[in-house]
Amino acid sequence: MRHLYDVIIIGGGPVGLYTAKKLAQKGFKICVIERKTRVGEGVLCTGLISKEGFERFSLPVESILTQIKSFAFNSPKGQRLEYSYSAPFAFVVNREIFDYKLFESAIKDGVEYKLGVMVRSIDKDGRFYAIYGNDRKWWARSVVIATGNNYRLQKNLGLGKPPGFLYGLQVELPVNVDETNIEIYLGKDYAPGSFAWVVPVNHRGARIGTILNDADSEYLKRFIKEKFDSVDMELERNRINSKPIAYGPIKKSVQDRIIVVGEAAGQVKTTTGGGIFTGLLCADIAINYLEQALKKNRPLDGYEVEWRSALSGEFEVGKKIRRIASSINDRTLEHLFSFVKHNRFWVDLLIPKINFDYHSDFLLYCLKSFIPLLKIS
Ligand SMILES: Cc1cc2nc3c(=O)[nH]c(=O)nc-3n(C[C@H](O)[C@H](O)[C@H](O)COP(=O)(O)OP(=O)(O)OC[C@H]3O[C@@H](n4cnc5c(N)ncnc54)[C@H](O)[C@@H]3O)c2cc1C
C-alpha cells in the first residue's frame, strides 16, 4: 500500500517533532503532517525551558537566547523578593529556531513530512487509519494527535478537549533588562489571581506577558505603561498577541491505536501554562507504548494511566493555588511579602523546594506555612 506509515504524527510542534524523531530512531516509518508551510512560524511562547528539561530531552542548544540565573517576585506596591543561583537553571529560547532544529534533526533520523497540509479527518480503514488533508490521503498503523490547541480532530473522535482554558498574552519589547533574570509581578492591577512576567531575550529586549482567565489585554497594557514608561504604547499596543492555553487534561487520550499528546491532551502546567517539559515527558511515555504496540501488538491504554499518574498531582495543586490566589487581595499580598522579607530564613527554607518543572511540593509547602497569614482555610 502506497503512503503507509507505522505512525503518522499530526502536528509539527515540539511535542509532535520530538515523538517523530524518537520513533524514527527506533526504526519505524514515520510521517509528520503540519498545517504550516514552515515549522515554528508565528509561535506565541515565552520560550522558557528548564536546564533539566534541555538535558533530559537533548533539546537544540542553537535556539538558546539567554541563560537564567535569578528570579524575583514583586508585590503590588513594589516589595521585591529575589533569589539567585550560582549557575543557570533555565534557558530562554527562540521558538522558531527551537522548533526548526527539532524538525531538521527528525528529518536526519528519517522522518518524512508534509508541510502546508491541514488534516481534516481520521478514519479507520480496515486494519489501518486513513488520514485526510488537502484532498489527499495517507495510511498509518497508528496515529499521534499533537495538534496543540486545535482540538477539532480529537473532538470528532469523541476524545474531547480540555475542561477549561487560560489565556496567555505577550509582547516582545526593546527594554533594558538584566539578561539573566526573570521578574514576576503579582497584584490585581496587572494580573488578578495570576501573575505578569518580564523574561529577557537579551540585555536589550524582553518578553512581557500575563496569563489570565480571559484575553483582556488592558491589564498588560497598564503593566507595560507603569513599568516601562519609555515604551511608546501607541506603537506597541497592536503587538500584544494572545492565545488560549489548556487548563486541565482531556478525559481520554487513547482510542484503539490513536494517542493524543502535548497541549492537545492538556499536558500543560496549570500553574504557569508552560507545556514543553510536560508535553515531552508524556511524549516519552507515548513512545514507549507505541513501540510495544507496533512490535508486539500490545494495547496503548497504559499510556493514559502512566502520564496521568505522573502529572495529575501537579494539575490539582496548580488549580488549587489558582483558586486561592484569586481570593487573596493586594493587602494580604503586601503583608505576606513583608513577613517573608523580615524573616529572610523563609526564603532559604523555601528555595530548595522550588523545582522549575514540578511546582506542587513548593506550593503545598508555602500554603502550609502561610495559611495563618493568608487568612484562608
Ligand atoms: C503566551 C504564552 C507563553 C508560553 N510560554 C511558555 C514557556 O515559557 N515555556 C513552556 O514550556 N511553554 C510555554 N507556553 C506553552 C507552549 O507554547 C505550548 O505548551 C507548546 O507549544 C505545546 O507544544 P505542542 O507541540 O503540544 O503544540 P504546538 O506547539 O501548539 O504545536 C501544534 C502544531 O500542530 C499544528 N496543527 C494543528 N492542527 C493541525 C491539523 N489539523 N493538521 C496539521 N497540523 C496541525 C499546528 O500548526 C502546530 O504547529 C506558552 C504559551 C503561551 C500562549
Side-chain angles (χ1 to χ4, degrees):
M1 188 186 269
R2 272 181 72 221
H3 305 309
L4 173 66
Y5 294 93
D6 288 320
V7 185
I8 286 183
I9 291 164
I10 308 169
V15 178
L17 293 168
Y18 175 85
T19 309
K21 176 187 163 67
K22 292 283 169 177
L23 285 170
Q25 282 174 347
K26 290 178 184 292
F28 297 114
K29 188 170 156 58
I30 307 296
C31 181
V32 171
I33 305 184
E34 164 57 46
R35 71 178 165 191
K36 291 180 195 160
T37 49
R38 188 182 158 86
V39 162
E41 202 176 54
V43 176
L44 180 65
C45 184
T46 315
L48 202 50
I49 302 172
S50 66
K51 181 168 179 276
E52 196 200 316
F54 246 84
E55 288 164 0
R56 177 171 181 161
F57 304 113
S58 304
L59 298 175
V61 288
E62 304 90 326
S63 63
I64 296 176
L65 296 169
T66 189
Q67 309 196 358
I68 303 300
K69 281 182 171 176
S70 62
F71 59 86
F73 287 97
N74 296 271
S75 79
K77 287 203 169 142
Q79 297 189 77
R80 190 164 177 274
L81 284 169
E82 76 287 346
Y83 197 84
S84 49
Y85 293 81
S86 53
F89 60 88
F91 304 126
V92 181
V93 301
N94 175 323
R95 266 294 299 270
E96 197 169 340
I97 298 176
F98 181 82
D99 289 23
Y100 200 78
K101 287 287 167 193
L102 281 174
F103 176 59
E104 274 186 344
S105 123
I107 294 170
K108 266 195 204 129
D109 283 318
V111 170
E112 293 181 31
Y113 58 90
K114 317 282 168 207
L115 296 183
V117 177
M118 175 79 166
V119 173
R120 303 267 170 209
S121 64
I122 305 168
D123 283 341
K124 193 88 196 261
D125 190 350
R127 282 187 301 133
F128 305 119
Y129 289 98
I131 314 292
Y132 296 88
N134 291 22
D135 298 326
R136 293 192 59 196
K137 182 176 175 182
W138 297 270
W139 284 271
R141 296 166 67 203
S142 257
V143 180
V144 172
I145 299 178
T147 49
N149 71 352
N150 177 11
Y151 304 103
R152 198 173 139 200
L153 293 171
Q154 62 200 69
K155 264 168 45 189
N156 290 346
L157 291 165
L159 294 168
K161 58 176 192 170
F165 296 92
L166 296 172
Y167 291 82
L169 296 96
Q170 185 175 269
V171 61
E172 193 167 315
L173 293 179
V175 290
N176 292 331
V177 286
D178 172 354
E179 65 186 328
T180 65
N181 176 61
I182 297 170
E183 297 282 337
I184 307 289
Y185 293 82
L186 306 176
K188 69 170 177 17
D189 286 348
Y190 306 142
S194 189
F195 63 95
W197 63 83
V198 178
V199 171
V201 291
N202 53 44
H203 67 285
R204 281 168 41 203
R207 293 178 183 146
I208 303 173
T210 56
I211 179 165
L212 301 172
N213 291 329
D214 56 38
D216 184 353
S217 62
E218 287 310 312
Y219 290 100
L220 188 54
K221 286 177 193 162
R222 184 181 310 133
F223 174 71
I224 294 168
K225 203 168 173 196
E226 286 181 19
K227 300 292 170 197
F228 302 97
D229 53 4
S230 59
V231 169
D232 183 346
M233 278 311 292
E234 278 314 309
L235 268 179
E236 304 303 343
R237 65 193 322 127
N238 296 326
R239 287 173 44 193
I240 293 178
N241 289 305
S242 70
K243 197 180 158 199
I245 299 178
Y247 188 54
I250 59 172
K251 281 216 172 84
K252 203 166 175 295
S253 62
V254 174
Q255 189 181 84
D256 193 14
R257 286 280 187 264
I258 301 176
I259 268 187
V260 190
V261 72
E263 182 156 6
Q267 292 160 348
V268 173
K269 294 170 193 164
T270 46
T271 42
T272 60
I276 297 174
F277 180 90
T278 41
L280 297 179
L281 183 88
C282 297
D284 268 344
I285 300 171
I287 290 157
N288 184 27
Y289 281 94
L290 282 163
E291 183 180 14
Q292 300 298 318
L294 292 164
K295 284 188 178 156
K296 299 183 182 153
N297 205 23
R298 297 230 171 105
L300 290 171
D301 310 82
Y303 162 69
E304 184 101 75
V305 178
E306 215 175 296
W307 77 259
R308 284 185 200 279
S309 75
L311 291 179
S312 58
E314 293 294 311
F315 292 148
E316 286 317 309
V317 172
K319 285 187 169 183
K320 183 173 181 176
I321 293 294
R322 280 198 167 269
R323 272 197 305 275
I324 291 172
S326 60
S327 69
I328 295 176
N329 60 30
D330 283 4
R331 249 185 61 214
T332 309
L333 273 176
E334 291 303 339
H335 187 43
L336 189 62
F337 267 74
S338 42
F339 175 81
V340 178
K341 268 184 101 68
H342 291 110
N343 298 278
R344 181 78 199 184
F345 68 91
W346 273 111
V347 176
D348 302 321
L349 262 178
L350 290 171
I351 295 299
K353 302 221 173 283
I354 291 186
N355 179 308
F356 196 88
D357 295 308
Y358 295 93
H359 304 158
S360 60
D361 273 3
F362 170 72
L363 292 172
L364 284 175
Y365 191 79
C366 286
L367 204 56
K368 220 167 65 188
S369 311
F370 299 130
I371 270 191
L373 288 175
L374 297 176
K375 299 186 191 79
I376 50 175
S377 54

